[in-house]
Amino acid sequence: LERYGSPCIFIDDKATELDAVRENGMHARDVITYRIRRKNSPYYGQKPAHEHVNITRLNDPILMTRIFM
């Protein structure tokens, strides 16, 4: 955040990794967390402890809108 400013994005398919961002004090206004939900992922069934934006692929329109706005 110091180097690039905020908000920044963090993308993962593991809910636990995304939850760790929140549990380590990073607020949604600073780091927007995106969870890639693919049915063939071994982490598909993980239940997140925090809310994350769900996408299905890296070129998802939701993500592209955020990156290029």
Side-chain angles (χ1 to χ4, degrees):
L1 292 176
E2 289 178 20
R3 184 175 187 176
Y4 297 107
S6 67
C8 67
I9 61 172
F10 186 87
I11 305 168
D12 207 308
D13 60 343
K14 291 175 92 174
T16 54
E17 291 294 323
L18 297 165
D19 288 339
V21 171
R22 295 287 174 255
E23 291 162 5
N24 283 294
M26 297 301 223
H27 299 282
R29 69 180 175 269
D30 296 322
V31 179
I32 303 166
T33 52
Y34 288 89
R35 182 175 180 202
I36 300 176
R37 297 293 314 271
R38 293 180 283 222
K39 290 186 179 184
N40 63 344
S41 169
Y43 313 108
Y44 185 81
Q46 279 188 349
K47 302 291 184 206
H50 301 276
E51 189 173 330
H52 310 291
V53 178
N54 289 311
I55 59 175
T56 57
R57 59 192 189 278
L58 289 175
N59 65 344
D60 191 293
I62 295 170
L63 180 59
M64 294 293 102
T65 301
R66 172 54 83 177
I67 292 174
F68 296 109
M69 48 183 264

